[in-house]
Amino acid sequence: MDVTPHRDEGIGAPPPHQAYANAPDLRREMHQVLALGAERDGRQARPVAGPQVDATAAERAWLLRRAALMDRMAFDSPGPGPVAAAAETAEQLVLHDRRHPYLVAGPRHPDVITPAPGHRPYVRQEYAAWTAAGAHRNPNRPRPDEEKDT
């Protein structure tokens, strides 16, 4: 379990306040991540208009946003439950990125960031790179800071 979430030395990941500087507030992001999950699971229809969705990139965007949300929640409430959830969702993103390394947006591959400090710094690296790139790897989803409330 990642019990030292603020210790990213030697990894090169941005600190949480920097990685999530442009992130929507937690409540809004939770709503959006749940909506993406519903689309992913088929509980909600995807928008018909727009370009074709790359399923692998869409899956990664959902995994990344969910892991970032859990990481942020663990900083707000650093108890064992939130920290464990953040570590678990970070690991799921890492597993996905190992299978699809061409989707890694940041400078370091997930295997460079060892499990000793946990993979939460990798989530921060990827979220910061994803927002800086304007979420170009998933054109059907704008950057989190550009999304409009529905």
Short mmCIF file of all heavy atoms in Angstrom, two decimals, residues 53-98:
data_model
loop_
_atom_site.label_atom_id
_atom_site.label_comp_id
_atom_site.label_asym_id
_atom_site.label_seq_id
_atom_site.Cartn_x
_atom_site.Cartn_y
_atom_site.Cartn_z
N VAL A 53 -14.73 6.62 -31.63
CA VAL A 53 -14.04 6.51 -30.35
C VAL A 53 -13.01 5.38 -30.42
O VAL A 53 -13.32 4.27 -30.84
CB VAL A 53 -15.05 6.21 -29.22
CG1 VAL A 53 -14.34 5.99 -27.90
CG2 VAL A 53 -16.06 7.34 -29.10
N ASP A 54 -11.77 5.68 -30.02
CA ASP A 54 -10.74 4.66 -29.88
C ASP A 54 -10.97 4.03 -28.51
O ASP A 54 -10.73 4.67 -27.48
CB ASP A 54 -9.36 5.31 -29.98
CG ASP A 54 -8.22 4.33 -29.75
OD1 ASP A 54 -8.44 3.24 -29.18
OD2 ASP A 54 -7.09 4.66 -30.13
N ALA A 55 -11.43 2.80 -28.49
CA ALA A 55 -11.81 2.15 -27.24
C ALA A 55 -10.65 2.05 -26.26
O ALA A 55 -10.83 2.23 -25.05
CB ALA A 55 -12.39 0.76 -27.52
N THR A 56 -9.45 1.78 -26.74
CA THR A 56 -8.29 1.66 -25.85
C THR A 56 -7.94 3.00 -25.23
O THR A 56 -7.67 3.09 -24.03
CB THR A 56 -7.09 1.08 -26.63
OG1 THR A 56 -7.47 -0.16 -27.21
CG2 THR A 56 -5.91 0.85 -25.70
N ALA A 57 -7.96 4.07 -26.03
CA ALA A 57 -7.67 5.40 -25.51
C ALA A 57 -8.78 5.86 -24.55
O ALA A 57 -8.49 6.49 -23.52
CB ALA A 57 -7.50 6.40 -26.64
N ALA A 58 -10.03 5.54 -24.87
CA ALA A 58 -11.14 5.90 -23.99
C ALA A 58 -11.02 5.16 -22.65
O ALA A 58 -11.26 5.75 -21.59
CB ALA A 58 -12.47 5.59 -24.66
N GLU A 59 -10.65 3.90 -22.70
CA GLU A 59 -10.45 3.12 -21.47
C GLU A 59 -9.34 3.75 -20.63
O GLU A 59 -9.46 3.88 -19.42
CB GLU A 59 -10.11 1.67 -21.82
CG GLU A 59 -9.77 0.80 -20.63
CD GLU A 59 -10.98 0.35 -19.83
OE1 GLU A 59 -12.12 0.65 -20.20
OE2 GLU A 59 -10.78 -0.29 -18.79
N ARG A 60 -8.25 4.13 -21.29
CA ARG A 60 -7.14 4.73 -20.56
C ARG A 60 -7.54 6.06 -19.94
O ARG A 60 -7.19 6.35 -18.80
CB ARG A 60 -5.93 4.95 -21.46
CG ARG A 60 -4.76 5.43 -20.60
CD ARG A 60 -3.60 5.88 -21.41
NE ARG A 60 -2.43 6.01 -20.56
CZ ARG A 60 -2.08 7.16 -19.99
NH1 ARG A 60 -2.78 8.25 -20.17
NH2 ARG A 60 -0.99 7.20 -19.23
N ALA A 61 -8.28 6.87 -20.69
CA ALA A 61 -8.72 8.16 -20.15
C ALA A 61 -9.57 7.95 -18.90
O ALA A 61 -9.42 8.67 -17.90
CB ALA A 61 -9.49 8.95 -21.20
N TRP A 62 -10.44 6.96 -18.93
CA TRP A 62 -11.27 6.65 -17.76
C TRP A 62 -10.40 6.16 -16.59
O TRP A 62 -10.55 6.63 -15.47
CB TRP A 62 -12.33 5.60 -18.11
CG TRP A 62 -13.14 5.19 -16.94
CD1 TRP A 62 -14.10 5.91 -16.30
CD2 TRP A 62 -13.04 3.95 -16.23
NE1 TRP A 62 -14.61 5.20 -15.24
CE2 TRP A 62 -13.98 3.99 -15.18
CE3 TRP A 62 -12.25 2.82 -16.41
CZ2 TRP A 62 -14.14 2.93 -14.30
CZ3 TRP A 62 -12.43 1.76 -15.52
CH2 TRP A 62 -13.36 1.82 -14.49
N LEU A 63 -9.47 5.25 -16.88
CA LEU A 63 -8.58 4.75 -15.82
C LEU A 63 -7.75 5.88 -15.22
O LEU A 63 -7.57 5.95 -13.99
CB LEU A 63 -7.66 3.65 -16.36
CG LEU A 63 -8.32 2.31 -16.67
CD1 LEU A 63 -7.36 1.43 -17.48
CD2 LEU A 63 -8.76 1.61 -15.39
N LEU A 64 -7.23 6.75 -16.07
CA LEU A 64 -6.41 7.86 -15.60
C LEU A 64 -7.22 8.82 -14.74
O LEU A 64 -6.80 9.19 -13.64
CB LEU A 64 -5.79 8.61 -16.79
CG LEU A 64 -5.02 9.88 -16.46
CD1 LEU A 64 -3.84 9.59 -15.53
CD2 LEU A 64 -4.56 10.56 -17.74
N ARG A 65 -8.37 9.22 -15.22
CA ARG A 65 -9.19 10.17 -14.48
C ARG A 65 -9.68 9.57 -13.16
O ARG A 65 -9.72 10.24 -12.14
CB ARG A 65 -10.35 10.65 -15.33
CG ARG A 65 -9.88 11.56 -16.45
CD ARG A 65 -10.99 12.03 -17.32
NE ARG A 65 -11.84 12.98 -16.61
CZ ARG A 65 -12.85 13.60 -17.19
NH1 ARG A 65 -13.13 13.40 -18.45
NH2 ARG A 65 -13.60 14.45 -16.49
N ARG A 66 -10.00 8.29 -13.18
CA ARG A 66 -10.44 7.61 -11.95
C ARG A 66 -9.28 7.53 -10.95
O ARG A 66 -9.44 7.81 -9.76
CB ARG A 66 -10.98 6.23 -12.27
CG ARG A 66 -11.61 5.53 -11.09
CD ARG A 66 -12.20 4.22 -11.51
NE ARG A 66 -11.13 3.33 -11.92
CZ ARG A 66 -11.10 2.03 -11.67
NH1 ARG A 66 -12.10 1.45 -11.05
NH2 ARG A 66 -10.10 1.30 -12.05
N ALA A 67 -8.09 7.16 -11.42
CA ALA A 67 -6.93 7.07 -10.54
C ALA A 67 -6.56 8.44 -9.98
O ALA A 67 -6.24 8.56 -8.79
CB ALA A 67 -5.75 6.46 -11.28
N ALA A 68 -6.63 9.47 -10.80
CA ALA A 68 -6.33 10.83 -10.33
C ALA A 68 -7.37 11.28 -9.30
O ALA A 68 -7.02 11.90 -8.29
CB ALA A 68 -6.29 11.80 -11.52
N LEU A 69 -8.63 10.96 -9.55
CA LEU A 69 -9.68 11.30 -8.59
C LEU A 69 -9.42 10.62 -7.25
O LEU A 69 -9.49 11.26 -6.19
CB LEU A 69 -11.04 10.88 -9.15
CG LEU A 69 -12.24 11.06 -8.22
CD1 LEU A 69 -12.48 12.53 -7.90
CD2 LEU A 69 -13.48 10.44 -8.86
N MET A 70 -9.09 9.35 -7.27
CA MET A 70 -8.82 8.62 -6.02
C MET A 70 -7.58 9.17 -5.33
O MET A 70 -7.54 9.26 -4.10
CB MET A 70 -8.66 7.13 -6.30
CG MET A 70 -9.91 6.44 -6.76
SD MET A 70 -11.20 6.53 -5.50
CE MET A 70 -12.60 6.79 -6.52
N ASP A 71 -6.57 9.54 -6.11
CA ASP A 71 -5.36 10.12 -5.54
C ASP A 71 -5.69 11.42 -4.83
O ASP A 71 -5.27 11.66 -3.69
CB ASP A 71 -4.33 10.34 -6.65
CG ASP A 71 -2.96 10.75 -6.13
OD1 ASP A 71 -2.49 10.18 -5.12
OD2 ASP A 71 -2.33 11.62 -6.77
N ARG A 72 -6.47 12.26 -5.48
CA ARG A 72 -6.87 13.53 -4.87
C ARG A 72 -7.70 13.31 -3.62
O ARG A 72 -7.52 14.01 -2.61
CB ARG A 72 -7.65 14.37 -5.89
CG ARG A 72 -6.78 14.84 -7.05
CD ARG A 72 -7.60 15.46 -8.16
NE ARG A 72 -8.30 16.64 -7.68
CZ ARG A 72 -9.40 17.12 -8.26
NH1 ARG A 72 -9.93 16.53 -9.31
NH2 ARG A 72 -9.98 18.20 -7.78
N MET A 73 -8.60 12.36 -3.66
CA MET A 73 -9.43 12.07 -2.50
C MET A 73 -8.58 11.55 -1.34
O MET A 73 -8.85 11.87 -0.17
CB MET A 73 -10.54 11.09 -2.87
CG MET A 73 -11.57 11.70 -3.80
SD MET A 73 -12.77 10.51 -4.44
CE MET A 73 -13.76 10.26 -2.97
N ALA A 74 -7.55 10.78 -1.64
CA ALA A 74 -6.67 10.26 -0.60
C ALA A 74 -5.87 11.39 0.06
O ALA A 74 -5.55 11.30 1.25
CB ALA A 74 -5.73 9.20 -1.17
N PHE A 75 -5.58 12.44 -0.68
CA PHE A 75 -4.90 13.59 -0.07
C PHE A 75 -5.83 14.34 0.85
O PHE A 75 -5.42 14.85 1.89
CB PHE A 75 -4.33 14.52 -1.13
CG PHE A 75 -3.06 14.02 -1.71
CD1 PHE A 75 -3.01 13.60 -3.02
CD2 PHE A 75 -1.91 13.94 -0.94
CE1 PHE A 75 -1.84 13.11 -3.56
CE2 PHE A 75 -0.74 13.45 -1.47
CZ PHE A 75 -0.70 13.03 -2.78
N ASP A 76 -7.09 14.41 0.49
CA ASP A 76 -8.07 15.11 1.33
C ASP A 76 -8.39 14.32 2.60
O ASP A 76 -8.64 14.90 3.64
CB ASP A 76 -9.36 15.38 0.56
CG ASP A 76 -9.22 16.55 -0.40
OD1 ASP A 76 -8.15 17.20 -0.41
OD2 ASP A 76 -10.19 16.82 -1.13
N SER A 77 -8.43 13.00 2.49
CA SER A 77 -8.75 12.11 3.61
C SER A 77 -7.75 10.96 3.60
O SER A 77 -8.04 9.89 3.05
CB SER A 77 -10.17 11.56 3.47
OG SER A 77 -11.10 12.61 3.43
N PRO A 78 -6.57 11.15 4.18
CA PRO A 78 -5.50 10.15 4.04
C PRO A 78 -5.63 8.91 4.92
O PRO A 78 -4.64 8.33 5.32
CB PRO A 78 -4.24 10.96 4.39
CG PRO A 78 -4.72 12.03 5.29
CD PRO A 78 -6.11 12.36 4.85
N GLY A 79 -6.84 8.47 5.18
CA GLY A 79 -7.03 7.24 5.96
C GLY A 79 -6.72 6.01 5.12
O GLY A 79 -6.48 6.10 3.92
N PRO A 80 -6.74 4.84 5.76
CA PRO A 80 -6.37 3.60 5.05
C PRO A 80 -7.28 3.28 3.86
O PRO A 80 -6.80 2.81 2.84
CB PRO A 80 -6.48 2.51 6.12
CG PRO A 80 -6.81 3.17 7.39
CD PRO A 80 -7.03 4.62 7.16
N GLY A 81 -8.57 3.56 3.95
CA GLY A 81 -9.49 3.26 2.84
C GLY A 81 -9.19 4.07 1.59
O GLY A 81 -8.98 3.51 0.51
N PRO A 82 -9.18 5.41 1.70
CA PRO A 82 -8.88 6.22 0.51
C PRO A 82 -7.48 5.97 -0.05
O PRO A 82 -7.29 5.94 -1.27
CB PRO A 82 -9.02 7.65 1.02
CG PRO A 82 -9.95 7.56 2.18
CD PRO A 82 -9.64 6.24 2.82
N VAL A 83 -6.50 5.77 0.82
CA VAL A 83 -5.13 5.52 0.35
C VAL A 83 -5.07 4.19 -0.40
O VAL A 83 -4.44 4.09 -1.45
CB VAL A 83 -4.13 5.58 1.52
CG1 VAL A 83 -2.75 5.08 1.10
CG2 VAL A 83 -4.03 7.00 2.06
N ALA A 84 -5.74 3.18 0.12
CA ALA A 84 -5.76 1.87 -0.55
C ALA A 84 -6.47 1.96 -1.89
O ALA A 84 -6.02 1.37 -2.88
CB ALA A 84 -6.42 0.82 0.34
N ALA A 85 -7.58 2.71 -1.95
CA ALA A 85 -8.31 2.88 -3.22
C ALA A 85 -7.44 3.61 -4.24
O ALA A 85 -7.43 3.25 -5.42
CB ALA A 85 -9.61 3.63 -2.98
N ALA A 86 -6.70 4.62 -3.80
CA ALA A 86 -5.81 5.36 -4.70
C ALA A 86 -4.70 4.44 -5.22
O ALA A 86 -4.37 4.47 -6.41
CB ALA A 86 -5.21 6.57 -3.98
N ALA A 87 -4.14 3.63 -4.34
CA ALA A 87 -3.08 2.71 -4.76
C ALA A 87 -3.62 1.67 -5.74
O ALA A 87 -2.96 1.34 -6.73
CB ALA A 87 -2.47 2.02 -3.53
N GLU A 88 -4.82 1.17 -5.50
CA GLU A 88 -5.41 0.15 -6.37
C GLU A 88 -5.72 0.71 -7.76
O GLU A 88 -5.41 0.08 -8.78
CB GLU A 88 -6.69 -0.40 -5.76
CG GLU A 88 -7.35 -1.48 -6.60
CD GLU A 88 -8.62 -2.02 -5.97
OE1 GLU A 88 -8.76 -1.96 -4.74
OE2 GLU A 88 -9.48 -2.50 -6.73
N THR A 89 -6.31 1.89 -7.83
CA THR A 89 -6.63 2.46 -9.14
C THR A 89 -5.37 2.88 -9.88
O THR A 89 -5.33 2.79 -11.11
CB THR A 89 -7.61 3.65 -9.01
OG1 THR A 89 -7.06 4.63 -8.13
CG2 THR A 89 -8.98 3.19 -8.51
N ALA A 90 -4.33 3.30 -9.15
CA ALA A 90 -3.05 3.61 -9.79
C ALA A 90 -2.47 2.34 -10.41
O ALA A 90 -1.96 2.37 -11.54
CB ALA A 90 -2.08 4.20 -8.77
N GLU A 91 -2.55 1.24 -9.71
CA GLU A 91 -2.04 -0.04 -10.23
C GLU A 91 -2.81 -0.46 -11.48
O GLU A 91 -2.22 -0.97 -12.44
CB GLU A 91 -2.12 -1.12 -9.16
CG GLU A 91 -1.57 -2.45 -9.60
CD GLU A 91 -0.08 -2.45 -9.90
OE1 GLU A 91 0.65 -1.57 -9.40
OE2 GLU A 91 0.36 -3.33 -10.66
N GLN A 92 -4.11 -0.24 -11.52
CA GLN A 92 -4.90 -0.58 -12.70
C GLN A 92 -4.46 0.25 -13.91
O GLN A 92 -4.38 -0.27 -15.03
CB GLN A 92 -6.39 -0.39 -12.41
CG GLN A 92 -6.92 -1.42 -11.42
CD GLN A 92 -8.30 -1.08 -10.91
OE1 GLN A 92 -8.89 -0.05 -11.23
NE2 GLN A 92 -8.83 -1.97 -10.09
N LEU A 93 -4.16 1.52 -13.70
CA LEU A 93 -3.64 2.35 -14.79
C LEU A 93 -2.30 1.83 -15.26
O LEU A 93 -2.06 1.72 -16.47
CB LEU A 93 -3.51 3.82 -14.35
CG LEU A 93 -2.87 4.75 -15.38
CD1 LEU A 93 -3.76 4.89 -16.62
CD2 LEU A 93 -2.59 6.11 -14.75
N VAL A 94 -1.43 1.48 -14.34
CA VAL A 94 -0.11 0.95 -14.68
C VAL A 94 -0.24 -0.33 -15.50
O VAL A 94 0.45 -0.49 -16.53
CB VAL A 94 0.74 0.72 -13.41
CG1 VAL A 94 1.95 -0.14 -13.70
CG2 VAL A 94 1.16 2.06 -12.82
N LEU A 95 -1.10 -1.23 -15.10
CA LEU A 95 -1.30 -2.47 -15.85
C LEU A 95 -1.77 -2.19 -17.27
O LEU A 95 -1.31 -2.82 -18.22
CB LEU A 95 -2.28 -3.39 -15.12
CG LEU A 95 -1.79 -3.95 -13.78
CD1 LEU A 95 -2.91 -4.71 -13.08
CD2 LEU A 95 -0.57 -4.84 -13.97
N HIS A 96 -2.68 -1.25 -17.42
CA HIS A 96 -3.16 -0.86 -18.75
C HIS A 96 -2.03 -0.29 -19.59
O HIS A 96 -1.86 -0.64 -20.76
CB HIS A 96 -4.30 0.15 -18.62
CG HIS A 96 -4.94 0.50 -19.93
ND1 HIS A 96 -4.45 1.50 -20.73
CD2 HIS A 96 -5.99 -0.03 -20.58
CE1 HIS A 96 -5.20 1.59 -21.81
NE2 HIS A 96 -6.14 0.67 -21.74
N ASP A 97 -1.23 0.60 -18.98
CA ASP A 97 -0.15 1.24 -19.72
C ASP A 97 0.97 0.28 -20.07
O ASP A 97 1.65 0.46 -21.08
CB ASP A 97 0.39 2.44 -18.94
CG ASP A 97 -0.55 3.63 -19.01
OD1 ASP A 97 -1.59 3.55 -19.70
OD2 ASP A 97 -0.24 4.66 -18.38
N ARG A 98 1.17 -0.75 -19.30
CA ARG A 98 2.15 -1.78 -19.67
C ARG A 98 1.69 -2.53 -20.92
O ARG A 98 2.50 -2.90 -21.75
CB ARG A 98 2.34 -2.76 -18.52
CG ARG A 98 3.18 -2.21 -17.40
CD ARG A 98 3.33 -3.22 -16.29
NE ARG A 98 4.12 -2.67 -15.20
CZ ARG A 98 3.99 -3.05 -13.94
NH1 ARG A 98 3.11 -4.00 -13.62
NH2 ARG A 98 4.74 -2.51 -13.01
#
